[in-house]
Amino acid sequence: MSKIIIRSFQDLQQYEETEIGVSEYHTITQEQINLFADATLDHQWIHLDAERAKTESPFGGTIAHGYLTVSLLPYLWGQIISIENLKMQVNYEIESLRFNQAVAVNSALRLRVKLLSAKDLRGVIKARLEVTMEIEGSKKPAFTGVITFLYHFN
């Protein structure tokens, strides 16, 4: 898979209203879930207690935190696109986000992205992205939404 290289606002703008690409799959491990729980202080049993989750959870095992899956957006986006000549990228907005399906431990996720718009706001580029976090082997995605990144080029 080759990344799209973006060096300027004009480079990004040419992809408006098109699907930019799809990332590689990333497998969500129990260790990653545990570390996320520690980092966010969210230690619900449905994420951490495999034995209890087997018997009491409607999912038959532990599941990833929804926000863990969202936190993978910049990492997986970076597999699709390479923004060069960049001073800084800022997470700006989650305009909409719908969690469609729980992500079971050891599931593989990938990101599918469409660039809705790219606007030049006095030198800061505002990129609105339609994102879908797909679960390998499932017709229903983990989530769908619209997010915005701000790019400050050199």
Side-chain angles (χ1 to χ4, degrees):
M1 172 173 79
S2 68
K3 290 184 187 184
I4 293 174
I5 307 295
I6 301 295
R7 293 183 179 93
S8 68
F9 167 62
Q10 292 77 16
D11 287 353
L12 187 59
Q13 193 176 35
Q14 71 181 337
Y15 292 100
E16 278 187 319
E17 291 299 322
T18 61
E19 183 174 288
I20 294 183
V22 181
S23 73
E24 297 292 327
Y25 279 105
H26 172 80
T27 300
I28 301 292
T29 64
Q30 188 62 55
E31 179 184 17
Q32 187 174 26
I33 293 169
N34 295 347
L35 290 169
F36 189 84
D38 288 343
T40 60
L41 307 177
D42 182 353
H43 293 97
Q44 277 193 76
W45 65 266
I46 199 157
H47 304 300
L48 304 176
D49 189 335
E51 290 307 311
R52 184 175 177 190
K54 275 184 201 172
T55 59
E56 294 183 38
S57 164
F59 307 109
T62 57
I63 60 170
H65 303 73
Y67 289 118
L68 167 56
T69 64
V70 173
S71 73
L72 294 172
L73 280 168
Y75 167 71
L76 295 174
W77 174 233
Q79 292 182 5
I80 298 168
I81 196 165
S82 178
I83 310 281
E84 298 178 356
N85 191 33
L86 189 65
K87 187 185 315 180
M88 176 175 50
Q89 173 183 328
V90 176
N91 299 325
Y92 179 71
E93 178 179 45
I94 297 177
E95 189 174 317
S96 66
L97 187 72
R98 178 177 300 268
F99 293 104
N100 299 300
Q101 181 168 304
V103 175
V105 67
N106 298 320
S107 292
L109 302 177
R110 71 178 181 184
L111 181 65
R112 182 175 299 276
V113 178
K114 176 181 180 181
L115 177 63
L116 296 175
S117 65
K119 304 273 188 254
D120 186 343
L121 308 174
R122 295 178 309 231
V124 176
I125 309 312
K126 181 179 178 183
R128 290 182 63 242
L129 309 170
E130 179 182 277
V131 295
T132 302
M133 188 68 77
E134 299 176 341
I135 305 169
E136 188 174 36
S138 176
K139 290 182 182 179
K140 256 179 126 171
F143 66 78
T144 56
V146 175
I147 64 161
T148 304
F149 291 135
L150 297 180
Y151 293 108
H152 301 254
F153 287 96
N154 288 316

